[in-house]
Amino acid sequence: MSIRVMLVDDQVLLRTGFRMVLAAQPDMEVVAEAGDGVEALEVLRSTAVDVVLMDVRMPKLDGVETTRRICSQPDAPKVLILTTFDLDEYAFSGLKAGASGFMLKDVPPAELLGAIRSVHSGDAVVAPSTTRRLLDRFSPMLPSSGREPERKELGRLTDREREVMMLVAQGLSNGEIAARLVLSEATVKTHVGRILTKLGLRDRVQVVVLAYETGLVRAGGGAAG
């Protein structure tokens, strides 16, 4: 079954370019487009979508707020933020809002297609180490999502799960965590899955964000206290 993609961008030429790239793929289909966030939310009420490619800066309703509203819905499509500028703080606000990752608009087509497939399969498209580096720089600027988690939320985790979560937030891959904790990579993957389930998180990006917000990890990537 094809991955159903929605394009949300106020620039028609950019949408056209993305649509041409995606249309050439046997496993993808552009099922909807919108020129701003308000239109996107309206279209999503009647159109089944798997992945939304979301611009950040748009009229009427920007991509961050649109992403927040989409991701607050049950069975929401995955959102991939697209930004013109590297290290765009609005893109990181999008991560807090529930996006599964972000990419630059001038990304090579092969990378964009790979990102869409990764997001659709449930993975994040920003490497944990990259996410950590960027959050270190921009976390003081990120506007509140309106719900600042408390450390007590982490009480749902076992000691081992907290340990794994801290290492994920410091940018370690599953293989690196396995080596650090002398576990199998499959066991680490299981722990990460349980962390996501217990904390109601979508992917590793959201694990990193929550670890920063709760103080489990400080800016700079180190463990707190």
Side-chain angles (χ1 to χ4, degrees):
M1 184 176 179
S2 295
I3 301 172
R4 298 166 296 186
V5 180
M6 180 178 188
L7 307 176
V8 183
D9 197 300
D10 61 335
Q11 298 185 50
V12 176
L13 286 177
L14 275 175
R15 296 206 310 268
T16 300
F18 286 138
R19 183 171 65 247
M20 291 175 63
V21 171
L22 271 58
Q25 304 304 306
D27 61 338
M28 295 184 191
E29 178 185 6
V30 176
V31 297
E33 296 184 32
D36 60 67
V38 173
E39 183 183 0
L41 294 172
E42 181 64 31
V43 171
L44 282 172
R45 293 191 180 98
S46 58
T47 306
V49 174
D50 299 312
V51 177
V52 178
L53 297 187
M54 180 72 69
D55 186 22
V56 176
R57 298 171 181 175
M58 298 182 294
K60 297 184 180 179
L61 191 66
D62 66 30
V64 173
E65 180 58 29
T66 304
T67 296
R68 183 175 295 116
R69 296 187 190 186
I70 290 173
C71 294
S72 67
Q73 300 300 313
D75 299 320
K78 302 297 178 63
V79 177
L80 178 59
I81 294 284
L82 297 175
T83 177
T84 304
F85 304 103
D86 196 7
L87 301 179
D88 182 345
E89 61 268 30
Y90 292 102
F92 301 101
S93 300
L95 295 180
K96 289 186 67 174
S100 295
F102 76 93
M103 303 195 79
L104 297 178
K105 287 185 178 180
D106 61 357
V107 64
E111 291 187 25
L112 175 64
L113 297 171
I116 293 172
R117 294 184 180 104
S118 294
V119 166
H120 180 250
S121 69
D123 292 332
V125 299
V126 183
S129 58
T130 304
T131 305
R132 182 198 66 211
R133 173 177 59 83
L134 298 174
L135 283 173
D136 285 346
R137 176 168 177 176
F138 282 105
S139 55
M141 306 178 190
L142 293 176
S144 171
S145 63
R147 171 187 169 276
E148 291 300 328
E150 299 177 2
R151 289 184 65 94
K152 66 182 181 182
E153 289 191 50
L154 303 181
R156 303 170 190 166
L157 305 180
T158 65
D159 289 344
R160 177 64 87 186
E161 288 165 353
R162 285 173 63 96
E163 193 172 15
V164 170
M165 179 177 178
M166 185 177 69
L167 295 176
V168 168
Q170 291 180 45
L172 275 66
S173 67
N174 285 353
E176 291 168 336
I177 294 172
R180 178 77 64 87
L181 300 181
V182 195
L183 299 171
S184 72
E185 193 166 341
T187 297
V188 173
K189 186 175 181 180
T190 297
H191 283 311
V192 172
R194 288 174 178 166
I195 292 167
L196 296 177
T197 299
K198 287 183 178 182
L199 299 180
L201 304 175
R202 295 166 65 94
D203 51 43
R204 294 173 75 103
V205 171
Q206 294 296 295
V207 171
V208 176
V209 172
L210 183 64
Y212 276 74
E213 290 184 329
T214 58
L216 183 66
V217 172
R218 297 187 302 260

